[in-house]
Amino acid sequence: MSDAIEDIEIRLLLEALHQRYHYDFRSYARASIKRRLRQAREQMGFVNFSSMQERLLHDPSLLPRLLPYLTVQVSEMFRDPSYFRAIREKVVPLLRTYPSLKLWIAGCSAGEELYSFVILFREEGLEDRTLFYATDINSDALDRAASGIYSLDRIKSFTENHRMSGGKSSLSDYYSTAYGNAIFDKSLRKRVVFSDHSLVTDAVFGEMNLISCRNVLIYFDRELQDRAIGLFRDALPRHGFLGLGAKESLRFSRHAEAFGEFVREEKIYQRREP
């Protein structure tokens, strides 16, 4: 099959996915989406994307099998510890001046970053005045996040990241173990709102003091990146904070002037005067 025909098939498949199920991946970076769709096609046993499209249109049970390929679910607790250390040492002191706080983890995946923030805020005495919003377009990922259950073999790296991020307690204080899993304490979820939200199609749902959206924008094309950053701009008041991933930047965004660099090396920005 020629690349030209494959590109047509992929475009039609993404259009079908949008019109049938309202998941919009049409503006995701094409090289990335093609690579992931090829993997899905091979592992699901389809001969081409046209047959996958036909099945998707007529069999809704295929959707939850396909979504994990399209929504990248790769994270760990306190990933990039220096980012969380910068939040702890440079952002938290300013957040302390607010009587109440709202934090949005956009693209929360299976919840690793969410629990990282809740634990950090508990250690810094801010948890009880903070509402945490954890959003993703993948309902299965949100369910996993809400369960707070992770394989025990991941805990070693989680624990080391927590220590390097400046953790003030032992990570083991926050979970119990059973059947090869670490089960994080339900008290960590008492101030969490889990919600299905798409940066592609949905609007802002509240004013936030801190937004962390890391390693999501790299999968969007430039237009979609601008849409997402525009949402973050609209959701942040003056002096609100935005954290991005190590390979992401506001440099070429049309909304760049709305933000100033706060911790340059960790891609933490601060909202300027609206």
Side-chain angles (χ1 to χ4, degrees):
M1 180 187 300
S2 71
D3 286 343
I5 293 176
E6 186 178 71
D7 287 343
I8 293 171
E9 285 191 314
I10 289 174
R11 187 166 64 251
L12 293 173
L13 172 62
L14 296 178
E15 186 64 38
L17 184 61
H18 177 241
Q19 293 197 27
R20 176 74 167 85
Y21 300 104
H22 310 294
Y23 284 98
D24 193 350
F25 296 96
R26 296 172 300 174
S27 295
Y28 277 45
R30 188 47 56 97
S32 174
I33 208 77
K34 179 185 288 189
R35 182 174 62 253
R36 286 180 271 159
L37 280 172
R38 282 174 172 170
Q39 184 181 23
R41 181 191 64 197
E42 292 170 6
Q43 295 190 4
M44 292 182 181
F46 290 101
V47 295
N48 52 45
F49 293 118
S50 293
S51 59
M52 183 186 290
Q53 176 192 324
E54 181 180 11
R55 173 80 175 277
L56 187 67
L57 284 171
H58 298 285
D59 182 3
S61 70
L62 186 66
L63 180 64
R65 293 176 57 201
L66 179 61
L67 280 180
Y69 291 95
L70 301 177
T71 56
V72 180
Q73 304 292 324
V74 180
S75 189
E76 58 183 20
M77 291 186 69
F78 296 94
R79 180 181 182 181
D80 302 322
S82 58
Y83 171 80
F84 286 95
R85 182 177 284 275
I87 295 287
R88 188 187 299 271
E89 296 178 351
K90 299 182 179 182
V91 176
V92 162
L94 297 177
L95 295 180
R96 288 190 198 283
T97 64
Y98 293 87
S100 62
L101 297 165
K102 290 183 178 180
L103 190 161
W104 178 14
I105 298 94
C108 72
S109 187
E112 294 93 337
E113 185 162 331
L114 165 67
Y115 290 106
S116 302
F117 270 107
V118 177
I119 289 169
L120 190 157
F121 274 44
R122 179 175 292 188
E123 291 176 342
E124 297 298 331
L126 293 179
E127 180 191 11
D128 288 342
R129 70 172 93 164
T130 305
L131 281 177
F132 302 86
Y133 293 84
T135 67
D136 204 279
I137 63 171
N138 187 329
S139 58
D140 288 341
L142 287 172
D143 288 342
R144 293 198 301 274
S147 75
I149 300 174
Y150 303 98
S151 175
L152 202 53
D153 60 16
R154 304 182 67 195
I155 293 299
K156 182 177 180 181
S157 65
F158 290 0
T159 300
E160 179 63 11
N161 288 348
H162 175 243
R163 184 189 65 79
M164 293 176 64
S165 75
K168 295 181 177 179
S169 58
S170 171
L171 191 66
S172 62
D173 293 341
Y174 303 105
Y175 65 84
S176 57
T177 61
Y179 306 106
N181 291 316
I183 306 163
F184 280 80
D185 194 274
K186 64 181 180 180
S187 69
L188 295 170
R189 298 185 286 278
K190 66 182 180 181
R191 302 201 41 92
V192 177
V193 177
F194 295 97
S195 180
D196 186 317
H197 180 274
S198 172
L199 296 173
V200 179
T201 57
D202 293 333
V204 172
F205 57 87
E207 185 176 275
M208 303 292 158
N209 302 98
L210 168 62
I211 299 172
S212 188
C213 181
R214 305 174 66 227
N215 308 306
V216 174
L217 299 183
I218 55 174
Y219 298 106
F220 293 174
D221 68 12
R222 181 62 53 80
E223 182 179 352
L224 189 49
Q225 287 179 5
D226 275 341
R227 185 188 193 281
I229 294 166
L231 289 181
F232 301 150
R233 177 203 62 194
D234 294 344
L236 288 168
R238 184 169 62 96
H239 301 321
F241 295 96
L242 171 64
L244 300 180
K247 297 181 180 180
E248 297 167 333
S249 173
L250 298 182
R251 181 177 302 173
F252 301 108
S253 171
R254 65 184 179 183
H255 305 297
E257 293 302 314
F259 298 89
E261 291 181 326
F262 188 74
V263 184
R264 174 183 292 185
E265 60 274 20
E266 299 301 335
K267 303 299 178 69
I268 299 174
Y269 301 85
Q270 190 171 35
R271 181 76 162 90
R272 290 183 169 139
E273 291 278 357

